[in-house]
Every structure is written in structure tokens, then in C-alpha cells.
């Protein structure tokens, strides 16, 4: 009997030790406590942000992709993932934001930003069902990687020039500066309150009898990313900007996906997305309607892919303007595919000033539907904002441009195809294939315009474009001129 009792004691002790060990193992898989938002006082002093800065930083060392690869299409999982963990959320309301649409919430946003900037994969949150008003602000880095600025409510600036603080820059509103691996996203709206800016008498055709008057005309770009890399902008509604809705300057590695950008057709200078001095950009699955260029690509830009974008009303998708004030401008490797352009003044356009230098090379416009568009396909090397521009010998070289599967309807007030190239430097290696454009209303315009343009028609073009010359330009009989676009 005593032996049996001893055996039972050993068995019970072993079971208790095993159970205790199991509890210890499970205890290692704990859930971290929620980190509270931190209050940070005083906004940082404004950074003097200038356009002419050093070259943008290269892609991060961990990125092994070659420099000519644009960010992946979102359907393949490109770009940083959106943060779903709520352990590092810095809610601006916990930092003092009111969100009633009239109180200045700038300090609360700056405080949340400064706290989140120090934490990896943190989120600055502007919650839904509130309207936050903040003044011109620069959100500076460097920050810990994976930072997300998430707007689920409404974010807006002061309403018009009279309400703009005198000490603030009236050239920009939200600036994201020197950041890497950052996401700007949300289900909310960025409202620009641009109406009173559009009515300034200095704006085009706002003066008496349709004139443009002199005077102060600076208006803020709504959202500017400057000297930053590996950026994602996704899901937001952006509307009624005083000037450009979104601008990328000196950046590398940009993914833009599922944006809605809108402003009235007659709102002046309200480009949807503007890119300059920026490399490796992907713009996908977005709808843009505005009063100027839907997407504009300025000097120093390369490796840009635009796909599944709907534009209009707008001024179309533009390369340029380039070469203003005798400057040098280089743009290369731009692809636009599976796009729709409707009710616009232009379709796909290249515009350069006389007297400039540099090059535009390696452009592909593929599978684009035009609906009631003036100047569906246009190269304009005589771009000028006044009547006193003179013809000059220097020009931006335009070469290796492909137009493929461009179909739809055009506004008969202008020929659907217009190639106006420099007198001294011809446009070369233009390829036309499956281009079919018919009048939206009215009579057929069968007279496209060409000047000093050379290329190949791989299929019959509608309307026929007999003015496009074969081969390369010749200085004299039997002597071809070398036209090389140097980048």
C-alpha cells in the first residue's frame, strides 16, 4: 500500500511540473500593450525648400532592382504594405486636434508626426467623421521606416488668400520632405478650398473682358513630396486644389494607386499629378478631372509608367513644357497604356519651348481611348504663353516616340494629329500603328499637320497622315544628318 501511495505522488508531481512548463511556454506569446500617443509641443521651423537641390537619393541599399524599373503594379504587391497593427497609431485627436473644420489643428498634426517619426511602422491618423484644418506645414524626415500618414476624415487648408497666415508660404501647403519608405493613404478627402485662389485677377482670363491682370499670383501646390524615396500614395480623394494637386520633385521610387483627383474644368493651373526631377514612378488605377494637365511630366524625369488612368475633362497627359528660358531638359522612358482621355483640350502631348536644349526619348503611348478630344496626338515645339516668342535654332530633341492602338473620337475644331517640330532639329523615329480617330461630331477632318517630322506608319492611319516623312532628315541629296538625342 505504501508503495502505491509513493507511485501516485510521483505521477501527480510529474503532471504538475509538465503543466507548469506548458504555462510558461504559452506565456512567451504575449500581446504588447498599446503605445499611447505622445504630446510634442511647437512645430518645427520651416525648411527653406527650393527646387534646385542636389540630385535625389538613390534607392535604398536593400533594393536590388535596376534603376530603370518602376515600382511594381499594385496587383503584384508592389510598394510598402499598409500598416494594420494599431499598436503604433498616433491619433491626432489624442494630441489635441478638434476636427471641427474651423479650429487650427496644425500643432496637433505636427506633434503626432514628430512622435510617430521616431517609431518604426507607425501611423499618423486623422480619423473619420471629422474635418481638420491645418496651415502650411512641412512634415520633415528622416523618420523610421514604414511611416504611414492615414487620412480617413477631411483635411483642408484655410479658405482662400485672405485667410492664409502671412508668415506661411503661399506656394505650398502640405510638404513631405526627406522621407524614405513612407505611405500616404486613407479613405478620406484632401480638400483644397481652391475657389478663391482661382478667382485672383492674375489668373488666366480672370480680368476684365477675358484679360489676365498683373499682380501677385502665387498659389499653393496642395501636396508636395520633395527629396524623398520609396513612396506610396493610395486611395485618397484629392480635390479643388488652389494650384497643382500633387507634385513630386527630386524623388525616386513612387507608387501612386487608386486616387481620385478632381477640380472644375475651368480651374486654372490645377494639374492633377506633376512630376519633375523624379525617377521610377508608377501611376495606376486613378481617375483625374481638372482644369489643366491630367498628368504632367517635367524635366529630369525618367522611367515613368502610367496605366489604367482615366483623364477628363483636362488638358490631357503632357510631357513638358520643356526648355523654357533656354534651359536644358531631359525626359526618357515614359509609358502610357490602357488609358482613357475624354472631353479634353489635348490627348497625349509633348510641348517644348524654342531655344531650349536636351532631349525627349523613349516614349510609348499604347492602347488609349480618346473621347471628344482636341489635338489627340500632338508634338508642339513652338509652345509659347505670349505672342512675342521668336523662332530659334536651338531646340529640345524629340526622338523614338511610339503611338500604338490609339482610337476614338476627336473634336473637329483641331486636326486630331499635329506634329510641329523644330525647323532645325527634326522629330525622328516616330512610329504610328493602329491609330484610328474619327470625328465626335461634324465633318471628317482628313488633314493632319506635320512639320519636319520623320517616322514610320506600320498600319494605315485614320485619318491618313501622308505628311509624316520616311527615313531620316537629309541636309542635302544623299547626305543624312545625324540626329542624336543625348541624355
Amino acid at each position: 500500500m505504501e508503495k502505491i501511495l509513493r507511485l501516485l505522488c510521483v505521477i501527480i508531481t510529474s503532471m504538475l511540473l509538465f503543466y507548469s512548463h506548458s504555462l510558461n511556454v504559452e506565456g512567451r506569446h504575449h500581446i504588447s500593450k498599446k503605445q499611447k500617443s505622445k504630446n510634442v509641443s511647437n512645430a518645427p521651423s520651416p525648411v527653406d525648400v527650393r527646387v534646385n537641390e542636389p540630385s535625389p537619393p538613390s534607392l535604398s541599399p536593400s533594393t536590388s532592382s535596376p534603376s530603370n524599373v518602376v515600382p511594381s503594379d499594385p496587383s503584384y504587391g508592389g510598394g510598402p504594405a499598409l500598416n494594420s497593427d494599431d499598436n503604433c497609431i498616433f491619433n491626432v485627436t489624442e494630441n489635441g486636434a478638434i476636427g471641427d473644420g474651423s479650429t487650427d489643428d496644425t500643432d496637433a498634426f505636427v506633434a503626432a508626426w514628430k512622435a510617430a517619426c521616431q517609431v518604426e511602422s507607425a501611423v499618423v491618423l486623422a480619423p473619420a467623421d471629422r474635418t481638420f484644418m491645418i496651415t502650411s506645414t512641412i512634415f520633415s524626415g528622416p523618420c523610421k521606416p514604414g511611416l504611414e500618414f492615414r487620412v480617413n476624415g477631411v483635411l483642408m487648408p484655410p479658405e482662400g488668400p485672405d485667410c492664409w497666415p502671412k508668415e506661411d508660404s503661399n506656394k505650398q501647403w502640405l510638404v513631405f520632405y526627406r522621407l524614405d519608405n513612407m505611405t500616404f493613404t486613407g479613405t478620406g478627402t484632401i480638400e483644397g478650398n481652391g475657389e478663391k485662389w482661382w478667382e485672383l485677377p492674375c489668373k488666366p482670363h480672370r480680368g476684365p473682358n477675358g484679360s489676365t491682370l498683373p499682380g501677385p499670383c502665387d498659389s499653393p501646390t496642395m501636396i508636395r513630396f520633395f527629396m524623398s524615396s520609396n513612396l506610396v500614395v493610395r486611395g485618397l480623394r484629392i480635390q479643388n486644389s488652389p494650384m497643382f494637386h500633387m507634385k513630386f520633385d527630386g524623388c525616386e521610387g513612387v507608387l501612386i494607386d487608386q486616387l481620385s483627383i478632381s477640380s472644375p474644368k475651368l480651374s486654372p493651373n490645377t494639374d492633377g499629378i506633376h512630376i519633375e526631377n523624379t525617377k521610377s514612378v508608377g501611376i495606376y488605377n486613378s481617375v483625374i478631372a481638372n482644369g489643366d494637365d491630367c498628368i504632367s511630366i517635367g524635366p529630369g524625369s525618367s522611367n515613368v509608367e502610367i496605366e489604367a488612368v482615366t483623364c477628363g475633362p483636362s488638358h490631357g497627359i503632357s510631357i513638358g513644357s520643356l526648355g523654357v528660358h533656354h534651359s536644358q531638359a531631359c525626359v526618357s522612358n515614359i509609358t502610357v497604356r490602357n488609358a482613357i482621355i475624354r472631353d479634353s483640350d489635348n490627348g497625349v502631348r509633348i510641348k517644348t519651348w524654342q531655344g531650349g536644349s536636351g532631349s525627349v526619348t523613349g516614349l510609348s503611348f499604347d492602347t488609349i481611348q480618346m473621347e471628344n478630344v482636341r489635338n489627340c496626338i500632338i508634338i508642339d515645339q513652338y509652345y509659347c504663353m505670349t505672342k512675342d516668342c521668336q523662332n530659334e535654332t536651338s531646340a529640345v530633341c524629340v526622338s523614338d516616340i511610339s503611338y500604338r492602338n490609339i482610337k476614338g473620337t476627336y473634336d473637329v475644331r483641331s486636326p486630331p494629329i499635329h506634329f510641329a517640330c523644330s525647323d532645325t532639329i527634326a522629330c525622328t523615329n516616330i512610329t504610328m500603328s493602329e491609330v484610328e480617330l474619327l470625328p465626335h461630331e461634324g465633318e471628317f477632318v482628313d488633314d493632319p499637320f506635320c512639320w519636319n517630322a520623320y517616322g514610320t506608319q506600320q498600319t494605315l492611319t485614320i485619318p491618313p497622315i501622308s505628311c509624316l516623312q520616311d527615313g531620316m532628315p537629309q541636309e542635302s541629296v544623299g547626305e543624312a544628318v545625324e540626329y542624336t538625342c543625348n541624355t
Side-chain angles (χ1 to χ4, degrees):
M1 186 66 179
E2 183 178 351
K3 290 182 179 180
I4 295 174
L5 289 174
R6 287 178 182 175
L7 180 61
L8 287 174
C9 287
V10 171
I11 293 172
I12 292 171
T13 301
S14 299
M15 291 177 65
L16 288 172
L17 288 172
F18 178 79
Y19 180 69
S20 174
H21 176 71
S22 299
L23 287 176
N24 287 335
V25 171
E26 291 177 1
R28 295 179 192 138
H29 301 280
H30 64 277
I31 299 175
S32 300
K33 293 182 180 179
K34 182 177 179 180
Q35 182 171 349
K36 295 182 179 179
S37 300
K38 304 173 184 178
N39 292 312
V40 181
S41 60
N42 298 325
S45 57
V47 178
D48 183 11
V49 182
R50 294 186 173 91
V51 172
N52 296 320
E53 289 280 343
S55 300
S58 60
L59 290 170
S60 60
S62 61
T63 303
S64 59
S65 300
S67 60
N68 64 340
V69 177
V70 300
S72 300
D73 184 305
S75 62
Y76 294 94
L82 297 182
N83 191 317
S84 60
D85 188 352
D86 66 355
N87 290 335
C88 296
I89 293 179
F90 295 82
N91 191 321
V92 296
T93 61
E94 296 178 10
N95 287 270
I98 304 302
D100 59 4
S102 58
T103 302
D104 185 352
D105 292 320
T106 307
D107 286 348
F109 274 78
V110 171
W113 174 270
K114 291 178 73 175
C117 185
Q118 306 304 315
V119 180
E120 189 169 339
S121 299
V123 177
V124 176
L125 174 64
D129 302 321
R130 301 211 188 184
T131 299
F132 302 94
M133 192 275 288
I134 68 173
T135 59
S136 179
T137 306
I138 298 173
F139 295 101
S140 297
C143 294
K144 296 288 187 180
L147 179 59
E148 179 183 336
F149 193 107
R150 186 189 302 170
V151 178
N152 289 343
V154 177
L155 186 58
M156 68 181 188
E159 189 171 356
D162 293 340
C163 297
W164 204 262
K166 301 300 182 185
E167 65 274 15
D168 285 357
S169 169
N170 58 357
K171 294 184 179 181
Q172 55 198 23
W173 176 44
L174 297 182
V175 180
F176 297 96
Y177 178 57
R178 290 195 181 278
L179 296 164
D180 179 64
N181 191 17
M182 179 216 160
T183 298
F184 186 32
T185 187
T187 58
T189 298
I190 314 295
E191 168 59 56
N193 288 335
E195 292 84 351
K196 293 181 180 179
W197 296 94
W198 307 331
E199 294 171 359
L200 290 173
C202 61
K203 295 294 183 178
H205 314 302
R206 294 292 173 180
N209 301 318
S211 62
T212 299
L213 299 180
C217 209
D218 287 337
S219 302
T221 291
M222 200 167 169
I223 301 165
R224 184 185 183 199
F225 288 89
F226 184 57
M227 300 297 292
S228 297
S229 58
N230 303 315
L231 304 168
V232 174
V233 183
R234 178 185 280 125
L236 292 162
R237 177 182 296 275
I238 304 169
Q239 61 190 31
N240 299 322
S241 176
M243 201 165 170
F244 290 7
H245 285 78
M246 182 171 289
K247 182 177 182 179
F248 295 85
D249 187 1
C251 297
E252 183 163 358
V254 177
L255 171 63
I256 301 170
D257 183 36
Q258 299 177 30
L259 291 189
S260 170
I261 297 177
S262 63
S263 60
K265 183 177 182 179
L266 298 180
S267 57
N269 308 122
T270 53
D271 289 39
I273 299 172
H274 178 74
I275 299 165
E276 65 179 67
N277 300 312
T278 292
K279 301 175 181 179
S280 300
V281 180
I283 305 174
Y284 307 106
N285 308 312
S286 297
V287 178
I288 304 172
N290 59 308
D292 210 307
D293 293 335
C294 166
I295 298 171
S296 55
I297 299 174
S301 299
S302 62
N303 304 321
V304 178
E305 182 176 83
I306 301 167
E307 183 168 3
V309 169
T310 298
C311 293
S314 70
H315 291 184
I317 297 174
S318 291
I319 314 300
S321 60
L322 305 175
V324 65
H325 303 313
H326 300 89
S327 61
Q328 183 181 52
C330 293
V331 172
S332 62
N333 299 334
I334 312 296
T335 299
V336 181
R337 68 166 67 93
N338 297 325
I340 298 172
I341 303 176
R342 58 167 60 104
D343 299 323
S344 296
D345 287 350
N346 301 286
V348 290
R349 173 168 61 159
I350 301 169
K351 50 181 179 176
T352 72
W353 294 76
Q354 286 283 296
S357 61
S359 63
V360 177
T361 62
L363 273 57
S364 173
F365 302 101
D366 188 348
T367 311
I368 300 175
Q369 180 70 27
M370 303 282 183
E371 299 177 9
N372 190 28
V373 175
R374 294 185 70 177
N375 303 307
C376 294
I377 297 173
I378 178 170
I379 298 175
D380 180 10
Q381 292 210 272
Y382 299 87
Y383 183 75
C384 180
M385 297 294 289
T386 64
K387 295 181 180 180
D388 57 357
C389 296
Q390 297 181 351
N391 196 357
E392 302 189 39
T393 56
S394 178
V396 177
C397 178
V398 176
S399 182
D400 299 326
I401 316 296
S402 172
Y403 302 95
R404 192 176 304 275
N405 195 24
I406 314 294
K407 299 180 180 180
T409 61
Y410 62 90
D411 184 324
V412 297
R413 289 178 293 172
S414 302
I417 302 171
H418 185 98
F419 293 144
C421 300
S422 166
D423 290 342
T424 55
I425 301 179
C427 301
T428 59
N429 293 333
I430 298 173
T431 302
M432 309 286 288
S433 176
E434 298 182 71
V435 175
E436 300 176 7
L437 298 167
L438 301 172
H440 182 73
E441 292 179 347
E443 297 182 1
F444 191 85
V445 177
D446 59 354
D447 189 21
F449 176 83
C450 305
W451 180 257
N452 211 18
Y454 290 78
T456 302
Q457 297 183 69
Q458 294 183 344
T459 63
L460 177 64
T461 297
I462 302 174
I465 182 170
S466 57
C467 59
L468 183 66
Q469 301 180 67
D470 293 332
M472 295 290 287
Q474 293 184 340
E475 189 173 56
S476 59
V477 177
E479 183 178 358
V481 181
E482 288 293 329
Y483 281 85
T484 303
C485 285
N486 297 316
T487 57

